[in-house]
Every structure is written in structure tokens, then in C-alpha cells.
Amino acid sequence: NKAKLTDYGLPKSNNQMSTISGKIIESYAYVAPELIGGKIIHTDKSDIYALSIILWEIITRQIPYKEIENKFAILSKVKNGYRETIPSNCNQSFANIIKQCWDGNPDNRPTASQILIQLQSIENVVDSNNNNNIDYMKDDTINHSDLKYNRKLGNNQSEVYEGKWLDSIVAIKDLQNILLNKEEIRLLKECDHPNIVKIYGCCINPKHECSIIMEYMKNGSLYDFIHSNNEITLNLILNIAIDIVNGLVHLHDTKHVIHRNLKSMNVLLDDNNKAKLTDYGLPKSNNQM
């Protein structure tokens, strides 16, 4: 049961500031309080806040703030310190991680590396108590005629299909009104990690739009998994949480990329429920502004 991150939007390197107006409402439940109102400046600490909501979502299997119908009211309450209630039967160490991650002061939130150490410590205690065939292409460009589209998987700012590429099952994401150059695709592929959805390459489709060909994640999004009838044990919760944080450590500490759109819909699960981050969009290298 491995989780991988997805949909990390248009991340910037850690030393880049992002100002986006009008986008805050799309993922309002995961928006850090410091981003609400005025300029929106994403940092690695706003990713950590979003992680806290995902962790709460996993342990409760509830939709965040579902009792508040007005999303603007949610943003106002969160900015003023409101947080969801952590169940009393939640592992206390896990609950403490959530509380640290959604602290109203970004400076008080731990880094992804610090969270990983805490989660692994919990996993060790729990354990003691319980006693694809595609290689990276040398050329990032894929021939569109080699692709076969099957069923549609979802649609957000783009359309995603299950399909085939050279007899291998893949996900094909058709970007709308976005064209990527080879350097941008190269940067996406360089984010490669066991907890990041793998990018194989891109092509121009018949609509003259860019399509990204990436790893197919059989078990879908963490959001769907949480809100289904699947059994979720503490061990599975810890495995998924560690997967997500491992992906964040790689983005933050190794690639110096901020996800900027971290939510349970953008964490995908493979057939073993290994979690991976996805949709990390157009990362910039450290020397790009």
C-alpha cells in the first residue's frame, strides 16, 4: 500500500515566491492560514499545512470542514485559528504531528524531514507491538500515434485517460492551453522518486495540445480510497503518511520544489497502495525566475 504525490500544480524552487490570484478557492480546505487574503506566497511550510489536512482526512475518513457549507466561511475560520477535531482514539504521537503541521505560525511547523523521522518512530513502535516495465526514454518526445486512449480517469484543469503506450498501460494527461518545452519536461522527469508519479515523456496531440504520458496508478486517488469502504489499519495509515512525506522530502530538500497543490486528490495509489505525489506541473530549476 504505497502512496505517491500528484498534482503539485506549478511549483517553484524554494527561493521563488509565487503570487496567484483567484486560485485559492479551488483547494480551500488545504489552504494554509497565512495564504488567506492578500498576496498568496507559497512556501514549503504551506505544503506542510496541507499535509496536516491529508493526515486528518486519513484517520477520520471524513471530508474536511464538510459541516461548513460556505467555503469563504471556512477560510475565515481557519485564518482565525479554527481546526478540525482530532478523534480521541487517534494515536497520540500521530495526533501531535497533525497539530504541529497545522500550527497557525508557519515557523512552528516541522520540515518534511523532521516529520518523516517522527512517523518512522511511530511505525517502529507499531511494528514491534504487532510483531512497471517502462524505462526512461532517451528522448522525451513520444509519438502520439503510439498511444491508445481507453477510459477517462478524471478531469480538472486537464483530462486524464487510462491508455496504452508501446503495449504498456499508462496514464495520458491532456493539458488544455498549456505547451511544455523539452526543458520543462526534463525538469519534470528529474523529480523521479519512488513516491513521485513517474513521467515518461510528452507529445503534441491532434488538438495541438500537449499530452503528458505518465505512470498509471491502478488504485486511484487517496481521496477516493479514504472515502470508500476499504479497511484502513494504523499500519496502512502510517505507510501512506510516510510515503507522502518521503515524496515531500524529495521535492523540498533534493529538488527544491514546492508542491503548491497538495491534497488527497493529488496523492495516487498503485496496486499495492503505495502512495505517490502527482501533478507537480512545471517545476523551475534554482536559477530560473
Side-chain angles (χ1 to χ4, degrees):
N1 289 340
K2 286 289 186 179
K4 300 194 181 186
L5 302 184
T6 187
D7 219 359
Y8 31 113
L10 302 177
K12 307 291 184 185
S13 59
N14 282 352
N15 60 354
Q16 287 179 291
M17 296 302 183
S18 311
T19 56
I20 306 173
S21 33
K23 291 289 186 184
I24 196 167
I25 300 305
E26 294 180 2
S27 304
Y28 60 91
Y30 304 87
V31 174
E34 67 271 15
L35 304 184
I36 300 171
K39 271 191 173 181
I40 302 174
I41 301 177
H42 288 272
T43 68
D44 52 355
K45 293 305 179 76
S46 55
D47 277 353
I48 297 301
Y49 178 88
L51 171 69
S52 73
I53 304 302
I54 294 175
L55 296 181
W56 179 90
E57 209 174 344
I58 295 173
I59 62 169
T60 63
R61 307 188 74 167
Q62 300 292 319
I63 296 172
Y65 309 115
K66 67 176 182 178
E67 75 283 2
I68 307 175
E69 292 185 5
N70 187 325
K71 54 193 174 187
F72 296 101
I74 292 175
L75 295 175
S76 175
K77 288 172 74 74
V78 166
K79 188 171 179 62
N80 290 320
Y82 177 83
R83 301 292 186 270
E84 289 283 18
T85 301
I86 299 174
S88 58
N89 62 351
C90 175
N91 177 283
Q92 278 305 301
S93 297
F94 197 85
N96 289 336
I97 292 174
I98 295 175
K99 292 175 182 177
Q100 293 169 28
C101 292
W102 68 25
D103 193 291
N105 184 346
D107 293 335
N108 292 339
R109 294 173 203 152
T111 65
S113 296
Q114 290 169 335
I115 298 166
L116 181 60
I117 292 171
Q118 294 183 62
L119 287 171
Q120 289 172 334
S121 175
I122 299 172
E123 183 184 40
N124 289 337
V125 172
V126 171
D127 286 344
S128 65
N129 289 340
N130 294 337
N131 286 326
N132 283 301
N133 299 323
I134 301 176
D135 294 325
Y136 270 116
M137 300 169 57
K138 294 181 180 178
D139 184 355
D140 296 328
T141 303
I142 290 174
N143 190 333
H144 191 269
S145 63
D146 291 334
L147 298 176
K148 178 182 178 182
Y149 286 70
N150 295 328
R151 64 188 179 97
K152 190 173 183 179
L153 298 176
N155 119 42
N156 190 355
Q157 289 181 331
S158 56
E159 296 186 337
V160 184
Y161 299 84
E162 176 193 337
K164 275 195 170 184
W165 172 51
L166 302 179
D167 296 324
S168 296
I169 297 176
V170 296
I172 305 169
K173 181 174 182 175
D174 290 341
L175 303 177
Q176 299 173 354
N177 303 316
I178 299 175
L179 287 177
L180 304 180
N181 59 42
K182 287 187 177 182
E183 176 65 10
E184 289 166 336
I185 290 294
R186 182 186 65 79
L187 288 170
L188 287 176
K189 290 178 63 175
E190 285 183 354
C191 286
D192 183 43
H193 182 270
N195 297 111
I196 301 289
V197 173
K198 190 182 294 292
I199 302 292
Y200 300 126
C202 70
C203 65
I204 301 300
N205 63 35
K207 297 178 183 177
H208 303 289
E209 295 172 336
C210 183
S211 296
I212 294 180
I213 293 78
M214 53 191 182
E215 180 180 7
Y216 173 66
M217 301 292 285
K218 183 176 180 180
N219 286 358
S221 74
L222 176 60
Y223 178 89
D224 290 336
F225 186 82
I226 291 171
H227 302 293
S228 68
N229 293 322
N230 293 301
E231 179 184 0
I232 301 183
T233 63
L234 178 56
N235 271 321
L236 178 56
I237 289 172
L238 288 171
N239 287 340
I240 291 175
I242 288 171
D243 286 341
I244 295 169
V245 176
N246 264 321
L248 277 181
V249 169
H250 180 68
L251 290 179
H252 289 176
D253 297 353
T254 305
K255 294 302 178 181
H256 309 294
V257 165
I258 298 167
H259 192 294
R260 299 203 312 151
N261 197 20
L262 184 60
K263 52 188 176 182
S264 57
M265 288 81 85
N266 294 336
V267 179
L268 301 184
L269 303 173
D270 68 10
D271 51 356
N272 294 314
N273 283 334
K274 178 176 182 176
K276 303 188 183 187
L277 307 185
T278 189
D279 257 352
Y280 42 104
L282 304 175
K284 305 294 183 183
S285 62
N286 283 345
N287 59 359
Q288 284 181 295
M289 298 302 292

